[in-house]
Amino acid sequence: MDNYIEANKAAWEEAFDNRKNNWGDNDHIKLQSEPFAFFNRDMLEKLKNTDFKGKTVAQFCCSNGRELLSLVLNSGAAFGVGFDIAENILGQAKQMAEKAGVKNCEFVNCNILDISMDYYNKFDFIFITLGAICCFKDLNVLFEKVEKCLKPGGTFLLNDGHPFAYMLPIPGNDAFDPYNLNRLAYPYFKKSPWIWTGGMYYISGDCDSKPFTEFPHTVSDIINAICVNNMRITSFNEYDYEIGGIGSEVYDKKGIPLSYILVAEII
């Protein structure tokens, strides 16, 4: 396992061990009461316009599984598999599935780049959501795994923060100026990774932590990595709202690309 991946695994597991406000412990309640819970409105529209009847689906970097469970529970999919590197977070995913009565899902603890050949050519639909692809240095290798695990004619969906958003300083950063929201603080073509030891904001809040490493990727990095892996992009939609909560109160609906949904299919 690459050193940065092993370090990220330790950081994610530490964040979950120190989770605030019982993060995720009651997600099964929302899962049972709200159809397609945990998806933003445009992602929800994409999913509702996709035929999952009898299909097999997977989520790479599934975290505590709430998105995958929501999809399988409401879409008519036959079976779902969630893959994630953090063992303790997957423990919560398994508990959530049991509490919500979802029996046609399984969760696999592994480095995404080491997914077993047992899952090759197995899925009709694979999706990746916010904050996952930045954890991989080489997108070609990541999307090669997507391609290998999809069946012929299978679909890949990526819903993530827009690469442009990495240029913007967020509230709390030294570079943030509330009187100059058009200021770009960081380069788009940044080559070095982001490394921080301030916790994972939405799980543990701001705190001292083991190091997280994220890699910036441009739009062309993403598109080219998909194209070289036997996939054809069928749609790419950009949105002017943030899907992770950071900076949304100052940047949403200002005409800035903050998130996107990309859909591709196996050629």
Side-chain angles (χ1 to χ4, degrees):
M1 186 184 296
D2 287 345
N3 288 339
Y4 79 87
I5 293 180
E6 185 174 0
N8 277 347
K9 170 181 167 65
W12 279 106
E13 292 181 342
E14 179 189 50
F16 184 77
D17 283 340
N18 294 288
R19 62 192 184 277
K20 60 181 181 179
N21 301 323
N22 299 314
W23 180 87
D25 289 347
N26 295 315
D27 281 352
H28 65 282
I29 298 174
K30 186 174 182 180
L31 189 67
Q32 292 172 298
S33 61
E34 182 181 334
F36 287 101
F38 308 111
F39 292 110
N40 65 71
R41 61 183 181 274
D42 289 295
M43 180 69 164
L44 179 57
E45 182 178 354
K46 290 284 187 183
L47 296 176
K48 286 188 173 181
N49 288 326
T50 302
D51 180 14
F52 290 103
K53 185 75 172 177
K55 302 293 180 62
T56 304
V57 302
Q59 183 178 12
F60 286 7
C61 304
C62 69
S63 187
N64 74 346
R66 61 189 189 180
E67 293 169 331
L68 177 68
L69 290 168
S70 180
L71 176 61
V72 171
L73 188 62
N74 294 282
S75 68
F79 198 77
V81 181
F83 300 91
D84 200 274
I85 199 169
E87 187 172 0
N88 54 2
I89 299 179
L90 281 189
Q92 186 179 77
K94 294 172 184 178
Q95 292 174 4
M96 192 189 313
E98 184 176 354
K99 290 177 180 178
V102 183
K103 301 183 182 301
N104 54 337
C105 270
E106 69 176 37
F107 294 95
V108 179
N109 177 223
C110 69
N111 174 3
I112 298 298
L113 303 184
D114 294 332
I115 288 176
S116 166
M117 292 177 63
D118 293 342
Y119 294 100
Y120 287 7
N121 196 38
K122 185 178 180 68
F123 303 107
D124 299 287
F125 183 88
I126 293 175
F127 70 107
I128 298 177
T129 55
L130 177 68
I133 68 169
C134 60
C135 296
F136 298 91
K137 183 177 182 179
D138 188 344
L139 293 184
N140 289 339
V141 178
L142 173 63
F143 294 150
E144 181 182 17
K145 278 294 179 181
V146 171
E147 187 270 337
K148 288 181 180 297
C149 290
L150 281 172
K151 296 178 182 178
T155 298
F156 171 54
L157 186 151
L158 175 61
N159 181 203
D160 202 5
H162 200 289
F164 183 89
Y166 276 88
M167 302 173 69
L168 299 169
I170 60 174
N173 285 6
D174 291 340
F176 179 72
D177 180 357
Y179 302 103
N180 185 12
L181 296 180
N182 292 323
R183 179 172 182 242
L184 302 178
Y186 311 107
Y188 182 72
F189 296 100
K190 189 176 188 293
K191 297 302 181 184
S192 58
W194 301 93
I195 300 175
W196 79 95
T197 56
M200 181 48 63
Y201 71 98
Y202 70 96
I203 296 179
S204 60
D206 295 328
C207 61
D208 292 335
S209 72
K210 296 176 181 177
F212 289 90
T213 300
E214 290 188 356
F215 297 90
H217 302 294
T218 65
V219 172
S220 58
D221 290 337
I222 297 164
I223 290 175
N224 289 332
I226 288 173
C227 291
V228 301
N229 279 297
N230 200 36
M231 288 184 277
R232 178 178 69 89
I233 295 172
T234 59
S235 67
F236 180 76
N237 299 104
E238 299 167 288
Y239 307 102
D240 63 352
Y241 60 87
E242 215 277 327
I243 56 177
I246 296 183
S248 59
E249 69 276 16
V250 293
Y251 291 123
D252 274 12
K253 300 301 179 180
K254 299 292 195 304
I256 301 170
L258 297 176
S259 59
Y260 69 91
I261 299 176
L262 182 152
V263 181
E265 62 182 20
I266 295 293
I267 299 174

